[in-house]
Amino acid sequence: MPNIAPDHLENLVQQTLIAAGSHPEEAAIVADHLVRANLAGHDSHGVGMLTNYLPGLQSGVLKANQPHEIYMDAGPLLGIDGGRGFGQRIAKESMDLGIARAREHGLALIGTRRCHHIGRIGTYAEQCSAAGLISLHFVNVQDHRPLVAAFRGKEAVFGTNPICFGMPSQGDAPDILLDMATSQIALGKTRVAFLGGKPVPQGAVIDHQGQLSDQPSVMWQEPFGALTPLADHKGYGLALMCEILGGVMTGGGSIAPHHERLGGIVNNMLSILIDPKRLVTADYLAQELSELVNFVTHSAPAGSLPVILPGEPERQTHQARTPGIPFDDGNWDSLVQAAATLGVDWNA
Ligand code: NAD
C-alpha cells in the first residue's frame, strides 16, 4: 500500500492540475486543499477527487482559471459567483473577502454560489477560525444526480448537503470544528469503500428497492440506490434547510429538477461569519469556553473511549499522517492512471 509524503503528494497534484490547464496559483490552492483533506482523514474529499475533476475539465462542467464575480455587495452582505470555476479556489477567495467584512462590521453574511465542488467545508471554517472568527456554513449540491433519500422516501432527492460550524480556540479550549454531511455518510466514503472493496455501515445506503444495505456499489452501479439521511427526520430537515439557505438564498438554486444537470458537482454555500469579541469580552470568552470544554471532555466515558471535541479526530489524524498519507492500491492506481492521461507520472 503506497504511503506518500504530504509535500510530495501536493507537488504531484499541482503538476497534474497545471498539465490540465490551471495556472500555478490556482493549482497550488486546490492541491493544498485536497492534501489537507487527506491529512484530516477525509480521503473522500482529498486528492482522489482528481479522478472526477480531470474529466470535468475536459467536458467543461468544471472551468480552470475562472475568476469569481461579485453578484451582491452591501456592507456586511457579499455574494460571490464562481461560474463553475474550481470551488476550492473561489470559496477560499470568498472567505478572504468575508473575513475582511466581518472584521469591519463584526458580522458578515457571504453567499458563494455556482462553484464546482468546494471540497471539505471544514477548510473554510478553519480559515475563519485562524482569523479569530466563528463561522457557520450551509451548503447544497447541484448538477449531479440526487444521492440522498428524504426521511420516508426511497428515491434520492438531495445531495449530501453539508453543514459546518467553526469556533476559534480561546483560553484552554482548542479550535472546535463540526463539519458534516447531512447524510449518514458522505458519497466520497462510498467511493473509497467501493474502490477499496469494503462495505459501508449497514443502513448508510438503501438499494434501488429501498432496502437497507452495506454495499457501496449501490451508489456506483445501476440500478442506483441512495444514501440515507443522518438521524432520520432530523438529517432530512437539515438537508432541506441547506437547499433553502445554501441553494435558494444565494440565488444558485436548489436541486429541484428544473435546473440543468450536466453531471458535475456544483456547490452553493451560505456562510455567516461572527467576530466573537464584538459580543463578549475576550476574558469572559476564554474562561467560559475553557470551563465548558473541560466539563464536557472530562465527563465519564461510557466505554473505553474518552469524550472528545468535534474537530479532534481530524487533528489527531493530521498528526498521524504528517509523515505519510496511506492509499489503498485501488484508489492509488486510479490516480496514477488519471494523471498519466496528462503525461504526469505519479510513480516516477
Ligand atoms: P464525519 O462523520 O467524519 O465527521 C463529522 C463531524 O463529527 C466532524 O466535525 C468530526 O470532527 C466530528 N466527530 C467525529 N467523531 C467524533 C467524536 N468521537 N466525538 C466528537 N466529534 C466527532 O464527516 P462526514 O459527515 O463524513 O463529512 C466528511 C467531509 O465531507 C466533511 O469535511 C464535509 O465538509 C465534506 N462534504 C462535502 C460536500 C460537498 O458537497 N462539498 C458534501 C458532503 C460532505
Side-chain angles (χ1 to χ4, degrees), residues 42 44-45 117-122 139-141 160-162 177-186 189 265 267 308-314:
H42 292 294
S44 55
H45 288 69
H117 196 225
I118 61 177
R120 175 181 171 249
I121 312 307
V139 181
N140 85 329
V141 191
T160 48
N161 292 4
L177 175 69
L178 178 64
D179 171 28
M180 58 188 224
T182 50
S183 50
Q184 284 204 44
I185 59 169
K189 296 216 157 110
I265 309 169
N267 280 138
I308 56 172
L309 292 172
E312 189 57 36
E314 287 77 7

Side-chain angles (χ1 to χ4, degrees), residues 106-163:
L107 179 80
L109 183 73
I110 311 297
T112 308
R113 73 181 189 194
R114 298 202 321 119
C115 299
H116 195 268
H117 196 225
I118 61 177
R120 175 181 171 249
I121 312 307
T123 306
Y124 310 110
E126 286 169 354
Q127 193 182 339
C128 296
S129 284
L133 301 172
I134 297 172
S135 66
L136 294 72
H137 309 265
F138 303 90
V139 181
N140 85 329
V141 191
Q142 292 175 300
D143 209 40
H144 199 280
R145 67 186 165 88
L147 300 168
V148 184
F151 179 57
R152 297 187 176 172
K154 75 169 188 183
E155 198 182 348
V157 291
F158 294 122
T160 48
N161 292 4
I163 53 173

